[in-house]
């Protein structure tokens, strides 16, 4: 009897049951069956398409155009006193992502004293590569003292590092790897990733040419500061400094410095670092800019007088000239708390 009652269902209701419950086509006429199957097929195809899926889950958009205009706006708005770093990073990333077939991954090595903007600029790059920024599953941060703390486990770390990079680039060619505290990294460990930075089309079926590697280090800060101080003593503006004034000094200094993370590294020896990006020491006026930006971030009106008072709370060097903040802008937000 149940079967007889089912056979008398109107075709419209049967189609609804088909779509929502069982997917059964036994109660449909041949033409209706064809329509239902075609509709279901089209719907299945749409639901399983990357375009639909990527609305609800993060996707690796390897061919998504890079918005250099947005990156430039972020750098100009958020990074102060770093005309060289801003220009180099903008041109390097724009050129790299504009090339549909790069010969190797992009490798940037950022150097300068703490608080000058190295970590901040890495975050800006991450934000411009993927909407989730540093929270993206395609962006990977390694901190030397956290991920590689023991000198006795160097070989284990090398194996893990290679496995991690290989696995993540296999999932997404446009991956970003950030290595922080390079000056605290055991010498020789970074050479484990040398094959992935070299000029290979594929390694074991995996292409690394669209990946980006960024190294952050305080090493080289002394060399940079010395050069900026020389410019000042010669009556030149820091804005007159060019990359050629610092790049060769940095590469040689890092290669011969046991505390750089790049001591006798094949990455430098084989010229696999594309740009050595110098971060200049920040002056009083730049610290004031940082305070103004922090005020705006907290929803306050910019106040130059207050910014100057907060900037005076920081210490400056050399002892006589007192030109540069010894911590950059790193403690600005805490100093500001004393006034708000």
């Amino acid at each position: 009897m149940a079967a007889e009652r089912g056979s008398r269902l109107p075709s419209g209701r049967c189609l609804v049951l088909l779509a929502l419950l069982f997917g059964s086509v036994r109660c449909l006429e041949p033409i209706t069956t064809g329509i239902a199957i075609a509709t279901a097929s089209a719907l299945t195809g749409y639901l399983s398409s990357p375009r639909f899926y990527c609305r609800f889950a993060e996707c690796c958009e390897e061919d998504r155009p890079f918005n250099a205009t947005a990156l430039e706006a972020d750098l100009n708005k958020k990074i102060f006193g770093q005309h060289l770093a801003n220009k180099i990073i903008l041109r390097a990333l724009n050129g790299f992502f504009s090339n549909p077939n790069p010969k190797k991954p992009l490798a940037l090595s950022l150097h300068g004293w703490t608080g000058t903007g190295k970590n901040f600029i890495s975050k800006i790059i991450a934000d411009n590569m993927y909407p989730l920024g540093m929270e993206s599953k395609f962006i990977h941060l390694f901190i030397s003292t956290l991920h590689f703390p023991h000198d006795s486990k160097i070989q284990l770390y090398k194996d893990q590092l290679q496995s991690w990079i290989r696995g993540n680039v296999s999932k997404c060619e446009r991956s970003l790897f950030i290595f922080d505290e390079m000056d605290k990294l055991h010498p020789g460990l970074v050479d484990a990733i040398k094959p992935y930075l070299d000029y290979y089309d594929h390694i074991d079926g995996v292409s690394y040419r669209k990946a980006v590697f960024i190294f952050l280090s305080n090493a080289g800060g002394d060399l940079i500061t010395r050069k900026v101080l020389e410019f000042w003593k010669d009556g030149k503006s820091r804005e007159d400094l060019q990359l050629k004034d610092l790049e060769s000094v940095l590469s040689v200094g890092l290669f011969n410095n046991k505390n750089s993370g790049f001591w006798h590294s094949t990455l430098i020896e084989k010229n696999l670092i594309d740009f050595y990006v110098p971060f200049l020491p920040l002056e009083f006026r730049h610290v004031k800019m940082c305070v103004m930006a922090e005020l705006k971030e907290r929803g306050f009106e910019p106040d130059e007088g207050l910014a100057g008072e907060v900037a005076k709370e920081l210490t400056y060097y050399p002892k006589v000239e007192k030109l540069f903040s010894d911590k950059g802008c790193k403690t600005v937000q805490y100093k500001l708390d004393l006034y708000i």
Side-chain angles (χ1 to χ4, degrees):
M1 294 295 292
E4 291 178 6
R5 286 196 297 271
S7 65
R8 290 196 295 272
L9 284 172
S11 60
R13 284 186 63 190
C14 189
L15 182 58
V16 172
L17 290 175
L18 164 73
L20 299 180
L21 299 175
F22 306 108
S24 173
V25 297
R26 276 183 277 181
C27 59
L28 295 177
E29 300 170 357
I31 294 178
T32 307
T33 300
I35 295 174
I37 292 174
T39 301
S41 177
L43 182 60
T44 300
Y46 175 71
L47 293 177
S48 61
S49 69
R51 185 177 179 182
F52 177 82
Y53 175 80
C54 293
R55 289 185 179 183
F56 302 95
E58 187 183 27
C59 291
C60 175
E61 302 177 65
E62 295 173 354
D63 299 319
R64 179 171 62 89
F66 184 75
N67 192 338
T69 303
L71 174 63
E72 183 176 19
D74 281 345
L75 293 174
N76 292 335
K77 179 181 177 182
K78 300 175 181 179
I79 302 296
F80 308 115
Q82 303 299 351
H83 71 285
L84 275 178
N86 285 0
K87 180 170 69 174
I88 296 166
I89 286 172
L90 177 63
R91 292 182 178 179
L93 288 170
N94 188 40
F96 180 72
F97 288 124
S98 298
N99 184 354
N101 188 32
K103 301 301 181 185
K104 66 178 291 296
L106 178 64
L108 304 173
S109 193
L110 281 49
H111 299 272
W113 279 123
T114 184
T116 52
K118 301 184 300 297
N119 288 89
F120 198 9
I121 218 166
S122 300
K123 181 182 181 300
I124 290 173
I125 293 171
D127 290 341
N128 281 271
M129 284 185 64
Y130 288 102
L132 293 181
M134 296 299 295
E135 301 299 318
S136 171
K137 61 185 177 182
F138 307 119
I139 293 173
H140 316 282
L141 173 64
F142 299 99
I143 303 172
S144 296
T145 53
L146 176 64
H147 295 104
F148 316 111
H150 305 295
D151 290 349
S152 59
K153 297 183 178 180
I154 296 304
Q155 189 55 52
L156 174 63
Y157 294 150
K158 286 184 176 182
D159 295 339
Q160 291 176 336
L161 190 54
Q162 289 181 340
S163 177
W164 183 258
I165 292 175
R166 181 169 56 250
N168 282 286
V169 176
S170 297
K171 296 174 184 176
C172 179
E173 284 187 336
R174 187 181 281 192
S175 292
L176 171 62
F177 299 94
I178 302 171
F179 292 81
D180 196 8
E181 299 182 343
M182 278 296 296
D183 48 301
K184 298 178 178 65
L185 191 70
H186 183 85
L189 177 54
V190 74
D191 285 346
I193 68 172
K194 183 264 180 187
Y196 309 129
L197 292 180
D198 216 329
Y199 292 81
Y200 297 118
D201 288 341
H202 296 85
I203 300 175
D204 295 331
V206 179
S207 173
Y208 298 87
R209 291 178 296 163
K210 292 185 178 181
V212 178
F213 293 79
I214 299 177
F215 307 97
L216 312 180
S217 178
N218 290 344
D222 288 338
L223 297 172
I224 295 168
T225 300
R226 194 177 305 140
K227 195 68 177 179
V228 178
L229 191 58
E230 286 177 9
F231 259 57
W232 178 81
K233 289 180 177 179
D234 291 340
K236 300 177 182 177
S237 168
R238 63 189 281 136
E239 282 73 26
D240 293 332
L241 271 168
Q242 300 181 37
L243 181 59
K244 65 181 181 181
D245 297 318
L246 290 164
E247 191 168 36
S248 60
V249 174
L250 274 176
S251 62
V252 173
L254 297 171
F255 186 78
N256 293 307
N257 184 351
K258 289 186 176 181
N259 297 317
S260 72
F262 287 110
W263 183 62
H264 290 185
S265 171
T266 56
L267 271 60
I268 294 179
E269 188 179 11
K270 300 297 183 182
N271 297 311
L272 298 179
I273 303 295
D274 298 296
F275 295 97
Y276 296 90
V277 185
F279 280 70
L280 312 184
L282 299 183
E283 300 173 7
F284 181 82
R285 59 190 170 110
H286 303 125
V287 177
K288 282 181 61 178
M289 292 178 184
C290 292
V291 179
M292 298 277 276
E294 181 67 19
L295 282 169
K296 187 175 181 180
E297 181 73 18
R298 298 190 189 191
F300 294 97
E301 288 295 323
D303 185 332
E304 284 209 25
L306 175 59
E309 290 300 314
V310 175
K312 290 177 184 177
E313 292 286 338
L314 278 66
T315 55
Y316 296 83
Y317 65 95
K319 289 183 178 181
V320 177
E321 294 88 349
K322 294 186 177 180
L323 291 175
F324 311 122
S325 169
D326 60 359
K327 294 184 179 65
C329 285
K330 193 164 189 177
T331 60
V332 157
Q333 57 180 316
Y334 306 110
K335 298 295 184 182
L336 184 58
D337 290 339
L338 301 174
Y339 292 84
I340 297 179

